[in-house]
Amino acid sequence: MGYSKLKNELVSAANGVDYAYRDTGGGEDAVPLVLLQHFRGNLDNWDPALIDALATARRVVTFDNAGVGGSTGTTPDTIEQMARDALAFLAAMGISQADLLGFSIGSFVAQQITLTRPAIIRRLVLASAAPQGAAGMHGWAPEVIGAIGTRQTSPEAYLGVFFTPSAASRQAGREALRRMYARTEDRDKATTWATRDAQYDAVCTWGIPDHARLQGLSAIDMPVFVANGDSDPMILPRYSHLLAGLIPDARVKIYPDSAHGFLFQHHAEFAADVEAFLAEAS
Amino acid sequence: MGYSKLKNELVSAANGVDYAYRDTGGGEDAVPLVLLQHFRGNLDNWDPALIDALATARRVVTFDNAGVGGSTGTTPDTIEQMARDALAFLAAMGISQADLLGFSIGSFVAQQITLTRPAIIRRLVLASAAPQGAAGMHGWAPEVIGAIGTRQTSPEAYLGVFFTPSAASRQAGREALRRMYARTEDRDKATTWATRDAQYDAVCTWGIPDHARLQGLSAIDMPVFVANGDSDPMILPRYSHLLAGLIPDARVKIYPDSAHGFLFQHHAEFAADVEAFLAEAS
């Protein structure tokens, strides 16, 4: 069944949070791919075309972290607590080994999970990502937070950050939005303003310049795939290169004419790249 | 006139060193491109096909740094002193503004020059490069120094480091060697064992792990083009990503199926990429 038809499920974790999630796909590989969502995103903000492509060969799990969308609890204001909350979800699901795909703020959480509990993570995919403490990462650029950080958001503002101004990218963006909004029943709960504030506090705190912190990435000893769009205004592609330079076993790919939502725009190519990367381990 | 026919010239600098150099090309752009050579290399170790391609549109200057090949003086054992010696050469040549292309150890010197005297450098090309203090850069890998760091070197050992094992790369390597050895008269003086030792001391000292040092690259405020082969065993391509992540205005390109000598193997493509990069400034 396609992602846009999947029902929302709930699992109760030991931390008292009921996590909303969707669980799809399957295959030979017993290790699921768990996805960590972007700033203000919920289950409906994953492009179904990407999830369905990833799920052709393996189990894919999306979830709302604590306090986000359909999950109960409070959105914390630190990446560290988001990592703890994500680990509680994995435990509640009985997932003792996972590949992680973290997107944007989700990539920060994925890095933190991997550093906190490396034993349960097999491989890591970092999409539109940056390392903690990197110079220039202290909050989104004014035009970005002005576009997607406001109380009222719009498809146009979303397109302006997640896609480039080219006709091809904008068209891809409109198609991605159409796929995300095709689901009309049982949509996930919208994320709240409290989630927005807490997540942005976490983003800014994570981004306090701290060169020494960069060294911590040398401890990530599993293979990592780092990917971004060549024109991402939210997290510049230079941070993907920085990650690839600091993580000992990383590969990096920058996708052409694409921005923060490169993984939706290039969903087939990106899913194939992720599959090839994960298949090496299975 | 092609690079392999150029005569060796000498210029006397204020530091008492007579520098051997070759000066070719020309064009609209008044700013010359000055090249900094690899470990143990002299004027004859530049592939003439690369120099001739670069020189179609601009003035290109190659030289032996102090103590190297046909230059007088002593090869110093620090990158810092090599940078001073290169600056003395530029002054002796009356070059008050230059683009730099540093290759391997030459890329270390180019970075140091740029940090020491940024005012005279317009744009920077770093080929097979790494930043000072990067983890894992403390000397070449045993198989690399065992191949090209010995008293007696061989074309086979050179090919093993500068080219990949693929048939296409090896063939490109043999052709590059043929071009470099086509010149039979007025060849540059061979580099000595003292140069080898001093340069390798400098390489190891430069490579002492020092994470804090990496932050210094944030001071390079000019556009930088970082390039390497995807299979360089001498300076891994991850260090090109690290440079591109740390230098604020850098672009990076990794060339396929190539190693330390990617710029000789892909001489036409690399020269075109360098020309496009430098032409933005002129």
Side-chain angles (χ1 to χ4, degrees):
Chain A
M1 190 183 338
Y3 184 72
S4 62
K5 301 288 186 193
L6 284 178
K7 74 180 170 75
N8 300 318
E9 305 194 71
L10 276 180
V11 64
S12 298
N15 61 358
V17 173
D18 293 336
Y19 289 84
Y21 71 98
R22 295 180 193 157
D23 197 339
T24 184
E28 300 283 301
D29 195 341
V31 177
L33 174 63
V34 178
L35 272 55
L36 295 145
Q37 183 61 294
H38 68 70
F39 182 54
R40 304 183 79 180
N42 67 15
L43 298 175
D44 292 321
N45 294 105
W46 291 110
D47 184 344
L50 172 63
I51 308 300
D52 291 343
L54 290 169
T56 53
R58 61 187 59 252
R59 181 180 169 203
V60 177
V61 177
T62 62
F63 75 107
D64 288 328
N65 212 340
V68 175
S71 290
T72 65
T74 304
T75 307
D77 66 357
T78 66
I79 301 298
E80 290 77 1
Q81 187 58 41
M82 290 176 193
R84 284 186 204 100
D85 292 342
L87 285 165
F89 168 72
L90 294 177
M93 294 288 286
I95 296 173
S96 57
Q97 186 83 351
D99 295 323
L100 291 184
L101 187 165
F103 175 24
S104 193
I105 188 177
S107 82
F108 307 168
V109 180
Q111 292 171 66
Q112 188 63 47
I113 292 170
T114 303
L115 289 168
T116 301
R117 200 177 293 176
I120 74 163
I121 307 303
R122 189 176 64 173
R123 289 195 167 209
L124 194 55
V125 180
L126 300 174
S128 306
Q132 182 175 9
M137 276 299 301
H138 187 230
W140 315 131
E143 65 275 17
V144 169
I145 191 69
I148 50 80
T150 51
R151 281 193 182 268
Q152 301 299 328
T153 57
S154 72
E156 279 313 306
Y158 175 87
L159 289 173
V161 171
F162 282 66
F163 296 84
T164 80
S166 82
S169 186
R170 283 302 160 106
Q171 179 60 23
R174 284 186 292 268
E175 287 168 13
L177 280 175
R178 200 152 41 228
R179 290 188 295 267
M180 287 190 253
Y181 285 93
R183 178 185 184 119
T184 51
E185 290 183 26
D186 196 25
R187 286 186 67 82
D188 193 11
K189 273 195 201 156
T191 55
T192 63
W193 187 253
T195 289
R196 180 269 186 213
D197 271 350
Q199 287 186 337
Y200 197 50
D201 286 355
V203 164
C204 292
T205 303
W206 172 263
I208 295 170
D210 185 352
H211 180 77
R213 278 274 183 189
L214 299 177
Q215 195 171 14
L217 291 171
S218 65
I220 296 183
D221 62 358
M222 68 205 62
V224 178
F225 174 43
V226 184
N228 202 353
D230 64 354
S231 307
D232 185 354
M234 196 155 180
I235 303 187
L236 306 183
R238 63 177 285 214
Y239 298 111
S240 288
H241 293 295
L242 187 54
L243 284 163
L246 292 165
I247 296 170
D249 185 11
R251 61 201 81 177
V252 61
K253 181 168 174 176
I254 306 296
Y255 294 72
D257 185 29
S258 56
H260 203 62
F262 80 93
L263 68 178
F264 301 160
Q265 178 174 341
H266 295 287
H267 53 86
E269 181 179 350
F270 176 69
D273 291 337
V274 169
E275 181 53 37
F277 172 67
L278 297 180
E280 289 175 9
S282 56
Chain B
M1 189 183 340
Y3 184 73
S4 61
K5 301 287 185 194
L6 283 180
K7 75 181 168 74
N8 300 320
E9 306 194 71
L10 275 180
V11 63
S12 298
N15 62 356
V17 172
D18 293 336
Y19 289 84
Y21 71 98
R22 294 180 194 157
D23 197 339
T24 184
E28 301 284 302
D29 195 341
V31 177
L33 174 63
V34 178
L35 272 53
L36 295 144
Q37 184 59 295
H38 67 70
F39 181 55
R40 305 183 78 179
N42 67 15
L43 298 175
D44 292 321
N45 294 105
W46 291 110
D47 184 344
L50 172 63
I51 308 299
D52 291 341
L54 290 169
T56 53
R58 60 187 60 252
R59 181 180 170 204
V60 177
V61 176
T62 62
F63 74 107
D64 288 328
N65 212 340
V68 175
S71 291
T72 64
T74 304
T75 307
D77 65 357
T78 67
I79 300 298
E80 289 78 1
Q81 187 56 41
M82 291 175 192
R84 284 187 204 99
D85 291 343
L87 284 166
F89 168 72
L90 293 178
M93 293 289 286
I95 295 173
S96 58
Q97 186 83 351
D99 295 324
L100 291 185
L101 188 165
F103 176 23
S104 193
I105 187 176
S107 82
F108 306 167
V109 180
Q111 291 171 67
Q112 188 63 46
I113 292 170
T114 304
L115 289 168
T116 300
R117 201 177 293 178
I120 74 162
I121 307 304
R122 189 176 63 173
R123 288 195 167 209
L124 193 56
V125 180
L126 300 175
S128 306
Q132 181 176 9
M137 275 300 300
H138 187 230
W140 315 132
E143 64 275 18
V144 169
I145 192 70
I148 50 80
T150 51
R151 281 193 182 266
Q152 300 298 328
T153 57
S154 72
E156 278 313 306
Y158 175 87
L159 290 174
V161 170
F162 282 66
F163 296 84
T164 80
S166 82
S169 185
R170 282 303 159 106
Q171 178 61 22
R174 283 187 293 267
E175 287 168 14
L177 281 175
R178 196 149 47 227
R179 290 189 295 267
M180 287 189 252
Y181 284 93
R183 178 185 184 120
T184 50
E185 290 183 26
D186 195 27
R187 286 186 68 82
D188 192 11
K189 272 196 202 155
T191 55
T192 63
W193 187 252
T195 289
R196 180 268 187 214
D197 270 351
Q199 286 187 339
Y200 198 49
D201 285 355
V203 164
C204 291
T205 303
W206 173 262
I208 296 171
D210 184 352
H211 180 77
R213 279 273 184 193
L214 299 176
Q215 196 170 13
L217 291 171
S218 65
I220 296 183
D221 62 358
M222 68 205 62
V224 179
F225 175 42
V226 185
N228 203 352
D230 64 353
S231 307
D232 185 353
M234 195 155 180
I235 303 187
L236 305 184
R238 64 176 285 212
Y239 297 111
S240 288
H241 292 296
L242 187 54
L243 285 163
L246 292 165
I247 296 170
D249 186 11
R251 60 202 80 179
V252 60
K253 181 168 174 176
I254 306 297
Y255 294 72
D257 185 28
S258 56
H260 203 62
F262 80 94
L263 68 178
F264 301 160
Q265 178 174 339
H266 294 288
H267 53 86
E269 182 179 350
F270 177 69
D273 291 336
V274 170
E275 181 53 37
F277 171 67
L278 298 180
E280 289 175 11
S282 56

